[in-house]
Amino acid sequence: MAGPALEKKLLLISNSVCHGRPYLDHCADAIRQFLGGVTTIAFVPYAAKDWDGYARQVRSALAGFGLKVESVHETGAGPHTLPDHPAVFVGGGNTFRLLKTLQDRGLLDQIRRRVLDGMRYMGSSAGANLACPTIKTTNDMPIVQPADFHALGLVSFQINPHYIDADPNSTHMGETREKRIAEFHEENDLTVVGLREGSWIVVDQGRATLHGETGAKLFVPGKAPAEWDRQTGWPA
Amino acid sequence: MAGPALEKKLLLISNSVCHGRPYLDHCADAIRQFLGGVTTIAFVPYAAKDWDGYARQVRSALAGFGLKVESVHETGAGPHTLPDHPAVFVGGGNTFRLLKTLQDRGLLDQIRRRVLDGMRYMGSSAGANLACPTIKTTNDMPIVQPADFHALGLVSFQINPHYIDADPNSTHMGETREKRIAEFHEENDLTVVGLREGSWIVVDQGRATLHGETGAKLFVPGKAPAEWDRQTGWPA
């Protein structure tokens, strides 16, 4: 009998928009496969400031997938509760704002429990950060202060979305992404997946697998950074 | 009679290293002018992981300015106290680590009081962030969790160091710096100075003035972003 760990089904997307393509277009086939059979999906808009506008945008985009969207800020048993649907989509934006709002509304535990119980979790950018043990590998500015940095902990590793390789010709002296992740490892010992734009991770049956065209860089504490070999899955 | 606000003397530098030049070389004249008469300076290494190594690096670099350096992690009345020198230098690195360590060591208030009492404050990168009301406009990853995001509040505005203008040819979909600052303004109403690499701010006699070759972009809440006109100072 499958325990909670095997029930978890996640689709974690680096970026919702690839340059020059419509919203979620680059991973449309993966979404269709992941959400097969789902007709209504809950949506978490809290990473943005304008929840109504964000819900409208996502409702319109996901209509193309045959999905009805209910945003948690306006539906469910009451505003800011999680409606009882078989899947949830957590959209991108600012990770600090997303986490703080979920903490303030008491929704973090609700989402975690439901995912462990089989609700499918789709997250892009900040929504991918949120699935990790902490938000400590976000790229976002700390524009608001969450109670703490702990997130859903639905996977065992950290994701750095929008991962970008260092430009060898750059004269900018701000830290490269790789240098920032090295700083993370000076203080933390979790593996970090540098998930390039155009890539996504599927978690199913207790395994994480890599998909998309652009790949991901794996930062394992104490080891040299290396490409994620997409032939091999990974315990999630 | 000058009140505390007029006593404040700060030199806030976007970046300690400009591409291809030695440490602090690009602003050497400004440092000499700012620290005129100072022979010994306190140093705060907490933004880095290796305090001994960082202190060695800065001791060597500032020797060229005729300055003796005492790092707060090893000197003063005891380790992790602020020695009684006429100036302090807060070096760059990770802003979250810098703030948390100062909070944990009870040094934040000590530094603030001493600067209001006339101790000259020089900060680069994370050290410039620290002088602001909060660290909410840092570029760094939140690798550790400070008790809160409030910083020294020695100036009335926020600084975004290493400010970089958007590349119109980029296909990367991660937020531009300007977009990140716009997100900050969705939640906060402080002016942000986007301080480009190669630029610095001097605060003296209650005024902030801009120096260096590269300029700064001013993000005033509710107004379109605009270049800081370097002919005009600014209440600090």
Side-chain angles (χ1 to χ4, degrees), chain B residues 197-229:
Chain B
E197 295 191 346
S199 288
W200 57 91
I201 295 169
V202 175
V203 174
D204 195 13
Q205 297 290 315
R207 302 289 288 172
T209 49
L210 175 65
H211 307 267
E213 300 293 315
T214 50
K217 204 153 185 177
L218 271 184
F219 300 86
V220 180
K223 293 193 179 174
E227 283 295 311
W228 179 338
D229 173 3

Coordinates of all heavy atoms in Angstrom, one line a residue, chain B residues 197-229:
Chain B
E197 N 27.3 49.9 -10.0 CA 28.7 49.6 -9.7 C 29.5 50.7 -10.2 O 29.4 51.2 -11.3 CB 29.1 48.3 -10.4 CG 28.3 47.1 -9.8 CD 28.9 45.7 -10.2 OE1 29.7 45.7 -11.1 OE2 28.5 44.7 -9.6
G198 N 30.5 51.1 -9.3 CA 31.3 52.3 -9.6 C 30.8 53.6 -9.0 O 31.5 54.6 -9.2
S199 N 29.7 53.6 -8.4 CA 29.1 54.8 -7.7 C 29.1 54.6 -6.2 O 29.1 53.5 -5.7 CB 27.7 55.1 -8.3 OG 27.8 55.5 -9.6
W200 N 29.0 55.8 -5.5 CA 28.9 55.7 -4.1 C 28.1 57.0 -3.6 O 28.0 58.0 -4.4 CB 30.2 55.6 -3.4 CG 31.2 56.6 -3.7 CD1 31.4 57.8 -3.1 CD2 32.2 56.6 -4.8 NE1 32.4 58.5 -3.7 CE2 32.9 57.8 -4.8 CE3 32.5 55.7 -5.8 CZ2 33.9 58.1 -5.7 CZ3 33.5 56.0 -6.8 CH2 34.2 57.2 -6.7
I201 N 27.6 56.9 -2.4 CA 26.9 58.0 -1.8 C 27.7 58.5 -0.6 O 28.2 57.7 0.2 CB 25.5 57.5 -1.3 CG1 24.7 57.1 -2.5 CG2 24.8 58.6 -0.5 CD1 23.4 56.4 -2.2
V202 N 27.8 59.8 -0.4 CA 28.4 60.4 0.8 C 27.3 61.1 1.5 O 26.5 61.9 1.0 CB 29.5 61.4 0.4 CG1 30.0 62.1 1.7 CG2 30.7 60.7 -0.3
V203 N 27.2 60.8 2.8 CA 26.2 61.5 3.7 C 27.0 62.4 4.7 O 27.9 61.9 5.4 CB 25.3 60.5 4.5 CG1 24.5 61.3 5.5 CG2 24.5 59.7 3.5
D204 N 26.7 63.7 4.7 CA 27.4 64.6 5.5 C 26.6 65.8 5.7 O 25.9 66.2 4.8 CB 28.8 65.0 4.9 CG 29.7 65.7 5.9 OD1 29.4 65.6 7.1 OD2 30.7 66.2 5.5
Q205 N 26.6 66.4 6.9 CA 25.8 67.6 7.2 C 24.3 67.4 6.8 O 23.6 68.3 6.3 CB 26.3 68.8 6.4 CG 27.7 69.2 6.8 CD 27.8 69.8 8.3 OE1 27.0 70.6 8.6 NE2 28.7 69.3 9.1
G206 N 23.8 66.1 7.0 CA 22.4 65.9 6.8 C 22.0 65.8 5.3 O 20.8 65.7 5.0
R207 N 23.0 65.7 4.4 CA 22.7 65.6 3.0 C 23.4 64.4 2.4 O 24.5 64.0 2.8 CB 23.3 66.8 2.2 CG 22.8 68.2 2.6 CD 21.3 68.4 2.3 NE 21.1 68.6 0.9 CZ 19.9 68.7 0.3 NH1 18.8 68.6 1.1 NH2 19.7 68.9 -1.0
A208 N 22.7 63.8 1.4 CA 23.3 62.7 0.7 C 23.7 63.1 -0.7 O 22.8 63.8 -1.4 CB 22.3 61.5 0.6
T209 N 24.9 62.9 -1.1 CA 25.3 63.3 -2.5 C 25.9 62.1 -3.2 O 26.4 61.1 -2.6 CB 26.4 64.4 -2.4 OG1 27.4 64.0 -1.5 CG2 25.8 65.7 -2.0
L210 N 25.8 62.1 -4.5 CA 26.1 61.0 -5.4 C 27.5 61.2 -6.0 O 27.7 62.3 -6.5 CB 25.1 60.8 -6.5 CG 25.3 59.7 -7.5 CD1 25.3 58.3 -6.9 CD2 24.3 59.8 -8.6
H211 N 28.3 60.2 -6.1 CA 29.7 60.3 -6.6 C 30.0 59.1 -7.5 O 29.3 58.1 -7.4 CB 30.7 60.5 -5.5 CG 30.3 61.6 -4.6 ND1 30.8 62.9 -4.8 CD2 29.5 61.7 -3.5 CE1 30.3 63.7 -3.8 NE2 29.5 63.0 -3.0
G212 N 31.1 59.2 -8.2 CA 31.5 58.1 -9.1 C 31.1 58.4 -10.5 O 30.4 59.4 -10.9
E213 N 31.4 57.4 -11.4 CA 31.2 57.7 -12.9 C 29.9 57.2 -13.4 O 29.4 57.6 -14.5 CB 32.3 56.9 -13.6 CG 33.7 57.3 -13.3 CD 34.0 58.8 -13.7 OE1 33.7 59.1 -14.9 OE2 34.6 59.5 -12.9
T214 N 29.2 56.2 -12.7 CA 28.2 55.5 -13.4 C 26.8 55.9 -13.0 O 25.8 55.6 -13.7 CB 28.3 54.0 -13.0 OG1 28.5 53.9 -11.5 CG2 29.6 53.4 -13.6
G215 N 26.6 56.7 -11.9 CA 25.3 57.3 -11.6 C 24.4 56.3 -10.8 O 24.8 55.2 -10.5
A216 N 23.2 56.8 -10.6 CA 22.3 56.0 -9.8 C 20.9 56.3 -10.4 O 20.6 57.4 -10.9 CB 22.3 56.3 -8.3
K217 N 20.0 55.3 -10.2 CA 18.6 55.5 -10.6 C 17.8 55.7 -9.4 O 17.9 54.9 -8.4 CB 18.1 54.3 -11.5 CG 17.0 54.6 -12.4 CD 17.0 53.7 -13.6 CE 15.9 54.1 -14.6 NZ 15.9 53.3 -15.8
L218 N 16.9 56.7 -9.4 CA 16.0 56.9 -8.2 C 14.6 56.4 -8.4 O 14.0 56.7 -9.4 CB 15.9 58.4 -8.0 CG 16.9 59.2 -7.2 CD1 16.6 60.6 -7.0 CD2 17.1 58.5 -5.8
F219 N 14.2 55.6 -7.5 CA 12.8 55.0 -7.6 C 12.0 55.6 -6.4 O 12.1 55.1 -5.3 CB 12.9 53.5 -7.5 CG 13.7 52.8 -8.6 CD1 15.1 52.7 -8.5 CD2 13.0 52.4 -9.7 CE1 15.8 52.1 -9.5 CE2 13.7 51.8 -10.8 CZ 15.1 51.6 -10.6
V220 N 11.3 56.6 -6.7 CA 10.5 57.3 -5.7 C 9.0 56.7 -5.9 O 8.5 56.6 -7.0 CB 10.4 58.8 -6.0 CG1 9.6 59.5 -4.9 CG2 11.9 59.4 -5.9
P221 N 8.4 56.3 -4.8 CA 7.1 55.7 -4.9 C 6.1 56.6 -5.6 O 6.1 57.8 -5.4 CB 6.7 55.5 -3.4 CG 7.9 55.5 -2.6 CD 8.9 56.4 -3.4
G222 N 5.4 56.0 -6.5 CA 4.4 56.7 -7.3 C 4.9 57.6 -8.4 O 4.2 58.3 -9.1
K223 N 6.3 57.6 -8.6 CA 6.8 58.4 -9.7 C 7.6 57.5 -10.7 O 8.0 56.4 -10.3 CB 7.8 59.4 -9.2 CG 7.1 60.5 -8.3 CD 8.1 61.7 -8.1 CE 7.4 62.8 -7.3 NZ 8.4 63.9 -7.0
A224 N 7.7 57.9 -11.9 CA 8.5 57.1 -12.8 C 10.0 57.1 -12.4 O 10.5 58.2 -11.9 CB 8.4 57.8 -14.2
P225 N 10.7 56.0 -12.6 CA 12.1 56.0 -12.2 C 12.9 57.0 -13.0 O 12.5 57.3 -14.2 CB 12.5 54.6 -12.7 CG 11.3 53.8 -12.8 CD 10.2 54.7 -13.1
A226 N 13.9 57.7 -12.4 CA 14.6 58.7 -13.0 C 16.1 58.7 -12.6 O 16.4 58.2 -11.5 CB 14.0 60.1 -12.7
E227 N 17.0 59.2 -13.4 CA 18.4 59.3 -12.9 C 18.5 60.3 -11.8 O 17.8 61.3 -11.7 CB 19.2 59.8 -14.1 CG 19.6 58.7 -15.1 CD 20.4 57.6 -14.6 OE1 21.4 57.9 -13.9 OE2 20.0 56.5 -14.8
W228 N 19.3 60.0 -10.8 CA 19.7 60.9 -9.7 C 20.5 62.0 -10.3 O 21.6 61.8 -10.8 CB 20.4 60.2 -8.6 CG 20.8 61.0 -7.4 CD1 21.0 62.4 -7.4 CD2 21.1 60.5 -6.1 NE1 21.4 62.8 -6.1 CE2 21.5 61.7 -5.3 CE3 21.2 59.3 -5.5 CZ2 21.9 61.5 -4.0 CZ3 21.5 59.2 -4.2 CH2 21.9 60.3 -3.4
D229 N 20.0 63.3 -10.3 CA 20.7 64.4 -10.8 C 21.8 64.7 -9.8 O 21.6 65.2 -8.7 CB 19.8 65.6 -10.9 CG 20.5 66.9 -11.2 OD1 21.8 66.8 -11.4 OD2 19.9 67.9 -11.3

